[in-house]
Amino acid sequence: MNIENLIKEMTLDEKIGQCVQLPGNYFDKNGELTGPLEGYELTDDQIFMCGSTLGISGSAEIRKAQSFYLEKSRLKIPLLFMADVVHGYETMFPIPLAIACSFDPMQARKVAEYSAIESYSNGLHVTFSPMVDIVKDARWGRVMESNGEDTKLGVDFAKAYVEGYQGTSLDQKNTIASCVKHFVGYGAAEAGREYNTVDMSERVLRQEYLQPFQSAIDAGCKLLMTSFNTVNSVPASVNKWLLTQLLRDEMGFEGLIISDWTSIKECIAHGVCSDLADAGVQAFDAGCDIEMSSPCYYEGVKKAIEEGVISIEALDRAVLKVLSLKQELGLFENPYRGCDEPNKVLSDEHKQAALEVAQQSIVLLKNEDSILPIDKSKSIAIVGPNCSELDLNGSWTWKGHLDNNITLQQALQDYNVVFCGNVYTYRDIEHAEIVIYAGGEKSNMVGEAASRASITLPFNQEHEIEELANRNKQIVFVNYSGRPIDLSNIINKTSAIVQAWFLGTMTNQAVASVLSGDVNPSGKLAMSFPASGGQCPIYYNHLRTGRPYQKLNEPYKSRYMDIDNEPLFPFGHGLNYSNIQISQIEHGEKISVDATLKISINLENSSNVTGTEVVQVYINDKVATVARPVKELVAYQKVEIAANNVEHIDFEICLDDIKYVGLDNKQCIESGDLTLMIGLDSAHVYSANINVIV
Ligand code: BGC
């Protein structure tokens, strides 16, 4: 298909149509809705000229919708089918925040590859994933979709997801295009409140928030989605500086820019557009190629072109991008791409992959007196609001049917479970040697539009755990959640805390394997766990402030009167069943243009259990032109150490790893001293002085 010639044949309306995406229910009454749907008065022509749709999947459904559409479309240009396949299609994998806790981007790549296989054979072309927003506020429900608070992890995971979805080329089977979101800053919504204002300096935007997007662009992502929020007081979807100057010209993004669900129309509510037509013209002129789920382009773009406000060349460029993606996907040859392929959803191989990722995502937060792993001879009571819960998939799981999941009791069937249920007597608790409390959140408490002002345990769980602790001291708390929870009121009432997140189809199999010790946990927190919701946003790589708080009760320092500044569990924290320590560190003393900093580390496992640790390397720039974080992750390595063995690992840090965004908003590096820090979490580190020579 010669798409340049095709564009010449298209009417103005048909061209605009390619830049409009309508919700799936226009083509299939069961189409998934992921935002408010209003009754737009669209003509049949407008519906059957639109270039893409979202929220329909399944080979039969896609065949039906595509053939219905093609029958009506004059030029027979196939529809693009997009959807939110965020952590698995039908085989559900852990929520992305949990996957980030593996500190292993290859896990994310694996998830994306399997998601692509299942999505492909169900007729999908594009997934709205990964979300690469940096997040620091656990009150925001969408932290579950992110890679956590750290930019380096964000950069590495963004690349891994894009490569996993897209493979080497979209003309290959089992690949789908990746739409990276949300450009940009959405993760910094004020007070963690969904859809709220975002305001940050351009320097911080560049230092932290843009970098994962740049990484995804460099990995070749085909689409980017705009965010709902304002950037420098202009909503992202109509922000020309953001979409054209920064994203296109500076960051070099050549793919498609798509708005978020009704985000163009919402610019009227933001108070920067007067009506639908104005919003459409502003968004198109800003550089947004496709409008999702609102009719502003149909309302405004035609007139704007006829009046010369928008050039026809600009429209042709956008249409060319849409058609090029269709061509890359091979849709002109086969509009039913993937629909004939064997459907491998929930195959043993996929479930095994989901189990392995889930096992890597679990974080052991506390394990007093080595109560875990649980000895099989012990009698166990399983209680708590999630003890019989099947919905442990988290949000964005439209195809993740719950009957594929099992309960914790089913997963622990080889154990001596003497009681399981929500309604128990204190005798049941006293008679068990160990009480497993399956608590945390429910799946519907996380994700989009799921902000919580208080992030303590819901449903009176704190009180319940206190009552249980009065009857039995051996409490293992399994926390299923989509965000860091404030566990400060229960930490001293439990012997062990397993952060189980929402791990998808294989959640409880993975939890059981960690409780039993079949799997030695290795996850590390990708997001700090606050000691109080009042600390939010809380993150390890904060600035120092002019009055840093060091000594207890020091007056006139940056601190709270009622609680500590420190999180309950820091970024990078995570225990295991081995006893692994860094036993030796050797390193150079400087980094310069001709010399990298070489670090050599021995890790000693003095236990009888093989284990895995994540060695984390941080730096702090002592004096710079702008204030720099107290710590920032520059490198990490995950390494398995056999029982009673020593492993050796090396790092090499170069100038590029320690550069930062300076006052002029450009990358820079200066001579001077920095502190090198090495540890197995972000709070307990070896430190040394390093000289930087530029
Ligand atoms: C969300 C996006 C999602 C889109 C399409 C929006 O409400 O913010 O992340 O991709 O809906 O479902």
Side-chain angles (χ1 to χ4, degrees), residues 119 123 165 344 465:
S119 303
Y165 288 127
K344 296 193 187 134
I465 292 173

Side-chain angles (χ1 to χ4, degrees), residues 21 32-36 54 83-84 86 128-129 131 142 145 181-182 186 194-195 225-226 228 259-261 292 396 448:
Q21 174 165 103
E32 170 91 348
L33 297 178
T34 60
L54 78 163
D84 293 278
V86 174
F128 298 124
S129 171
M131 173 178 124
R142 300 196 80 165
E145 290 172 59
K181 62 195 187 184
H182 306 86
Y186 189 17
E194 184 62 301
Y195 313 127
M225 186 188 292
T226 63
F228 288 119
S259 76
D260 202 348
W261 183 288
M292 184 197 291
W396 299 113
E448 186 172 352

